[in-house]
């Protein structure tokens, strides 16, 4: 079952959370796992914290490997094909046709189960469009229903004639079964490494899963979560710029600082352990301006 939600622009992580709360979770409950691509809203700190509070795990597809989330990719193609046909004369009206592409998909039977997604979810098949032979006393209402019926029929024909899964699987082989601890070759073709090399093909062997290394120069620290903006790469690891340290708090036996990141909005501010802040000048400057806050011995001098 799918839900297509038209949006005026690419939403931020906070806007995405609002959308799924009001339009998805209220219908189906909180999820146990959320599988998504690596869009900026899904790798943001806000989204990770939001899912963690809901006790939902975050699963991100591999870069340049859309097959990880194959169902969504096929449905995106189906939606794009339907909207191209339905809104070809007036492209700006695409958002009005989204509901009928969704309705057609959810009410048409699936070849694998013989039932529609609607029937699998709710236990019964919804009523389809009745015969439109009768006349109506309000012509505008009749025109609306006829237009909706045509859109639904057109999408049903497109969906039945397009065999996305068969066409995609015909040229695919089962993927290798990787386990944690296996050693693999990591291709650098799609990695934005800033290195002087004329023929670098692979970056040695690594363990699965892989994590980016931390590096720091000047007023930078390397958080463990990739951020939406493109980081600088120094020493093979991503480096992010700190705009300002806003606050400090005691956490266990150490301290954490609330970091305002350069190039990010307030929703991306996050608490970072003091040991991960490589440039101690940042901490010294903070305690010089806030001598009343708890800090290391002599930090304010």
């Amino acid at each position: 079952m799918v839900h297509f939600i038209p949006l005026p622009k690419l939403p931020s992580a906070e806007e995405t959370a609002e959308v799924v709360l009001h339009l998805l979770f209220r219908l189906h409950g909180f999820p146990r796992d959320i599988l998504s691509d690596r869009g900026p809203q899904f790798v943001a700190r806000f989204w990770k914290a939001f899912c963690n509070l809901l006790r939902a795990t975050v699963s991100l597809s591999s870069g340049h490997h859309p097959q990880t989330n194959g169902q969504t990719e096929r449905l995106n193609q189906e939606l794009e094909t339907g909207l191209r046909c339905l809104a070809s004369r007036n492209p700006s009206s695409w958002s009005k046709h989204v509901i009928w592409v969704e309705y057609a998909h959810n009410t048409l039977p699936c070849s694998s189960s013989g039932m529609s997604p609607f029937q699998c979810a709710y236990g019964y098949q919804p009523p389809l469009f009745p015969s439109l032979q009768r006349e109506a006393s309000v012509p505008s209402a009749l025109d609306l229903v006829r237009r909706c019926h045509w859109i639904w029929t057109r999408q049903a024909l497109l969906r039945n004639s397009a065999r996305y899964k068969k066409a995609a699987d015909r040229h695919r082989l089962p993927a290798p079964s990787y386990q944690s601890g296996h050693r693999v070759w990591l291709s650098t073709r799609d990695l934005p490494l800033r290195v002087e090399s004329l023929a670098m093909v692979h970056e040695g062997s690594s363990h699965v899963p892989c994590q980016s290394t931390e590096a720091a120069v000047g007023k930078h620290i390397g958080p463990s979560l990739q951020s939406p903006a493109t980081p600088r790469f120094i020493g093979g690891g991503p480096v992010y710029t700190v705009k300002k340290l806003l606050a400090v708090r005691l956490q266990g036996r150490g301290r954490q600082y609330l970091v305002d990141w350069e190039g990010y909005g307030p929703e991306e501010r996050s608490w970072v352990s003091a040991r991960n802040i490589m440039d101690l000048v940042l901490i010294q400057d903070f305690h010089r301006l806030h001598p009343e806050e708890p800090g290391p011995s002599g930090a304010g001098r």
Side-chain angles (χ1 to χ4, degrees):
M1 172 169 279
V2 301
H3 295 290
F4 295 131
I5 303 169
L7 298 172
K9 62 180 180 63
L10 184 67
S12 65
E14 187 173 2
E15 291 169 339
T16 302
E18 291 284 349
V19 168
V20 297
L21 277 175
H22 291 91
L23 300 180
L24 295 180
F25 294 172
R26 71 180 182 88
L27 298 176
H28 303 285
F30 293 131
R32 296 180 179 179
D33 180 75
I34 298 178
L35 174 62
S36 68
D37 60 15
R38 293 180 176 271
Q41 66 272 48
F42 297 124
V43 298
R45 297 178 184 85
F46 181 94
W47 182 256
K48 182 180 180 181
F50 170 73
C51 293
N52 184 56
L53 292 172
L54 297 181
R55 300 294 190 270
T57 58
V58 177
S59 299
L60 299 176
S61 62
S62 302
H64 303 277
H65 193 267
Q67 295 89 341
T68 306
N69 196 6
Q71 272 190 319
T72 300
E73 295 300 329
R74 289 194 299 272
L75 288 171
N76 286 343
Q77 295 175 5
E78 182 178 320
L79 173 62
E80 182 179 355
T81 302
L83 292 180
R84 186 181 293 113
C85 295
L86 300 174
S88 59
R89 294 184 179 180
N90 186 13
S92 62
S93 66
W94 65 270
S95 60
K96 297 180 180 179
H97 303 298
V98 168
I99 59 171
W100 299 113
V101 180
E102 175 182 322
Y103 188 75
H105 173 86
N106 290 337
T107 55
L108 290 171
C110 177
S111 58
S112 60
S113 64
M115 297 187 294
S116 68
F118 190 101
Q119 189 174 3
C120 289
Y122 299 115
Y124 66 94
Q125 182 68 4
L128 302 182
F129 283 98
S131 174
L132 297 177
Q133 299 300 323
R134 66 177 63 183
E135 295 295 329
S137 59
V138 182
S140 59
L142 180 61
D143 291 340
L144 174 61
V145 174
R146 280 178 174 172
R147 185 164 62 252
C148 295
H149 190 191
W150 179 86
I151 293 173
W152 182 88
T153 305
R154 175 81 178 188
Q155 182 61 23
L157 293 174
L158 288 171
R159 185 180 183 277
N160 287 334
S161 62
R163 302 298 181 184
Y164 296 113
K165 188 177 187 302
K166 285 186 178 180
D169 292 345
R170 190 179 298 120
H171 305 287
R172 290 175 181 165
L173 295 175
S177 178
Y178 294 116
Q179 301 294 332
S180 180
H182 284 182
R183 300 181 69 83
V184 300
W185 284 103
L186 178 63
S187 173
T188 61
R189 182 185 63 179
D190 298 312
L191 295 179
L193 299 179
R194 304 295 190 268
V195 295
E196 297 294 334
S197 176
L198 297 178
M200 179 174 287
V201 179
H202 292 90
E203 193 185 15
S205 78
S206 179
H207 285 280
V208 179
C210 299
Q211 292 183 349
S212 301
T213 58
E214 295 186 358
V217 173
K219 293 187 177 182
H220 296 86
I221 69 173
S224 59
L225 179 64
Q226 279 197 349
S227 302
T230 303
R232 297 170 55 195
F233 280 78
I234 300 178
V239 181
Y240 302 88
T241 302
V242 176
K243 184 178 181 180
K244 188 178 182 182
L245 298 183
L246 303 176
V248 63
R249 68 181 182 183
L250 297 177
Q251 188 74 11
R253 296 184 178 181
R255 300 177 312 282
Q256 290 183 340
Y257 292 88
L258 182 61
V259 176
D260 187 14
W261 304 97
E262 185 71 36
Y264 299 91
E267 70 277 3
E268 290 300 307
R269 294 169 179 170
S270 57
W271 291 96
V272 176
S273 176
R275 65 176 179 270
N276 289 333
I277 300 179
M278 308 304 179
D279 188 355
L280 297 181
V281 175
L282 287 167
I283 298 177
Q284 294 173 358
D285 289 345
F286 173 82
H287 287 285
R288 186 181 300 110
L289 297 175
H290 305 279
E292 74 283 357
E293 297 290 350
S297 177
R301 294 200 298 268

